[in-house]
Amino acid sequence: MKSLKQDIKTGQFKQVYLLYGQESYLKKQYKNMFIKAMIPPGDTMNYAYYEGKNVNIPEVIDLAETLPFFAERRLLVFEDTGLFKAKGAELADYIKELPETTYFIFIEQEVDQRSKLFKAVKAKGHITELKVQDGATLKKWILGKVAKEKKKISESSIEFFLNKVGTDMEKIDGELEKLFSYTYERELITDKDIDEICTTHISTNIFAMIDAVANKEQRKALDLYYELLAMKEPPMKILALLVKQYHMLYVTKSMVKKGFRQNEIAAKIGVHPYAVSKYMNQSRKFSSAELRVIIEEGIDLEERVKTGRLKDILAVEIFLIKNSASAT
């Protein structure tokens, strides 16, 4: 990422960039910074944007061959096209002969590094993978934004904040803006501020519900469920998320037994490393056999709702009541 910032700062651009990975916020930020740095505001003559999987390659090549209109360069931006997994060979051949005044930026979630287009971009320009940021990086980023607003926040409050709003950078950015406005007359941001103004991410409630079930706190588990219903979350979505989380606990527990580390587990199951630490802690409260039974019960309840044998709200209540019942 340092090289991207350096190119934007100096104005010494590569002809082709590929930004890919799971962190949508960073991809969006860098895309906008490049566009702002490379094309004058309001210049629609020398800028084109392509999104989705139906990119017309001959049309792209025709436009790329056109000299910029009273400008230094022509910029073409491609987002979520899938060209690095299929149908990108023709564009790969063209990139080798790209006119000096034409620049390409590709933004993708997944790419095939063996593809012809990937290799062509690597030879001609610059490739950066924008990964989901780990907990330490998120905390440093939050501290930087807080300091920029001339405010202060403790490390424990940052932890509380992340537990409440989740680890999506775009969501974090929005919630921080709310906090800055809410505390505009004060320097210190507290847990109370966070609790009062920030929106609880659904995954936070799901984690709390699973903790309540594990601790046999039936009333708490149901209260959290009713809170989600009051937030207009569909019961079947809640049940699906619960089943998914229990599945994550089962996989995490199995991988821990096999000696996998936190980052390795995160990469394997496709979640933020920060979340894996929660999975590891929660999975210790259940045996593998218990988790299998709970997952099977959840799947069975989903099927009963889909076939009309059970009401959706009641299905989740049954799931929570049964699994949070104290042993007799």
Side-chain angles (χ1 to χ4, degrees):
M1 286 191 286
K2 287 183 180 179
S3 61
L4 296 180
K5 292 177 181 177
Q6 184 67 15
D7 289 358
I8 292 168
K9 183 179 179 180
T10 62
Q12 300 298 310
F13 302 111
K14 311 293 188 298
Q15 261 198 285
V16 188
Y17 290 91
L18 166 61
L19 312 177
Y20 77 97
Q22 300 298 313
E23 187 45 76
S24 299
Y25 177 85
L26 290 177
K27 288 189 293 184
K28 180 180 177 181
Q29 292 297 306
Y30 278 110
K31 177 187 73 173
N32 291 338
M33 284 191 288
F34 270 112
I35 293 170
K36 184 177 180 181
M38 296 174 81
I39 297 291
D43 184 356
T44 57
M45 297 292 293
N46 300 298
Y47 170 70
Y49 176 74
Y50 297 89
E51 183 178 18
K53 301 187 184 302
N54 296 315
V55 177
N56 187 318
I57 302 300
E59 177 187 298
V60 167
I61 292 173
D62 283 345
L63 184 59
E65 285 291 308
T66 306
L67 286 171
F69 186 72
F70 292 111
E72 183 180 350
R73 63 180 67 86
R74 179 175 295 281
L75 175 64
L76 280 67
V77 176
F78 307 83
E79 189 158 7
D80 296 329
T81 63
L83 288 170
F84 289 85
K85 300 181 81 174
K87 301 180 181 179
E90 186 180 354
L91 200 55
D93 290 332
Y94 176 70
I95 279 176
K96 297 172 186 176
E97 310 297 331
L98 195 63
E100 291 183 1
T101 55
T102 299
Y103 292 73
F104 284 175
I105 297 176
F106 296 94
I107 300 104
E108 301 287 335
Q109 185 161 328
E110 296 179 352
V111 299
D112 182 352
Q113 297 188 19
R114 301 165 299 177
S115 69
K116 195 172 181 180
L117 184 55
F118 187 92
K119 292 173 182 176
V121 173
K122 187 175 182 180
K124 188 81 173 182
H126 183 80
I127 296 173
T128 298
E129 182 181 6
L130 297 170
K131 300 178 180 179
V132 171
Q133 304 297 287
D134 60 29
T137 303
L138 285 178
K139 290 174 183 177
K140 184 178 178 181
W141 177 61
I142 291 168
L143 276 173
K145 292 183 80 67
V146 170
K148 189 176 180 180
E149 294 292 325
K150 296 181 171 55
K151 292 186 178 294
K152 293 180 180 179
I153 187 171
S154 70
E155 188 170 341
S156 64
S157 288
I158 293 178
E159 191 83 19
F160 180 72
F161 174 75
L162 287 171
N163 279 327
K164 185 173 180 67
V165 308
T167 53
D168 179 88
M169 290 182 76
E170 195 152 12
K171 174 78 182 297
I172 289 171
D173 189 52
E175 294 298 322
L176 283 174
E177 287 301 318
K178 286 163 59 176
L179 270 176
F180 297 152
S181 297
Y182 187 69
T183 61
Y184 74 99
E185 291 182 331
R186 290 184 284 111
E187 182 181 58
L188 183 65
I189 296 172
T190 66
D191 287 3
K192 187 173 182 291
D193 297 326
I194 294 165
D195 197 41
E196 287 183 351
I197 197 65
C198 293
T199 304
T200 303
H201 192 271
I202 185 171
S203 65
T204 302
N205 268 21
I206 297 296
F207 271 117
M209 287 165 74
I210 291 174
D211 268 338
V213 168
N215 297 330
K216 305 303 180 186
E217 297 173 336
Q218 194 174 93
R219 185 68 264 163
K220 183 178 178 180
L222 288 169
D223 285 344
L224 288 164
Y225 171 49
Y226 299 139
E227 184 179 322
L228 286 175
L229 290 179
M231 294 163 63
K232 306 299 183 184
E233 293 291 349
M236 292 310 291
K237 177 184 176 182
I238 297 169
L239 182 57
L241 285 171
L242 281 165
V243 172
K244 180 182 177 182
Q245 293 289 71
Y246 278 111
H247 178 70
M248 291 291 196
L249 297 186
Y250 179 78
V251 173
T252 299
K253 194 174 188 70
S254 299
M255 293 186 73
V256 168
K257 285 181 180 177
K258 293 175 182 176
F260 285 90
R261 296 180 180 179
Q262 185 173 326
N263 285 340
E264 293 173 319
I265 296 171
K268 187 74 174 177
I269 64 179
V271 301
H272 197 285
Y274 189 81
V276 173
S277 63
K278 293 184 178 181
Y279 291 147
M280 292 171 73
N281 289 332
Q282 280 193 330
S283 67
R284 296 188 188 102
K285 300 177 181 180
F286 303 89
S287 68
S288 295
E290 285 174 327
L291 290 171
R292 279 200 304 270
V293 169
I294 292 172
I295 293 166
E296 289 168 2
E297 287 174 350
I299 293 170
D300 178 62
L301 286 167
E302 284 181 313
E303 179 62 25
R304 288 166 65 186
V305 171
K306 288 176 183 177
T307 55
R309 291 177 288 158
L310 192 62
K311 296 293 184 181
D312 53 3
I313 293 177
L314 180 59
V316 184
E317 288 176 341
I318 291 171
F319 182 81
L320 294 172
I321 290 169
K322 182 175 181 181
N323 292 298
S324 62
S326 299
T328 55

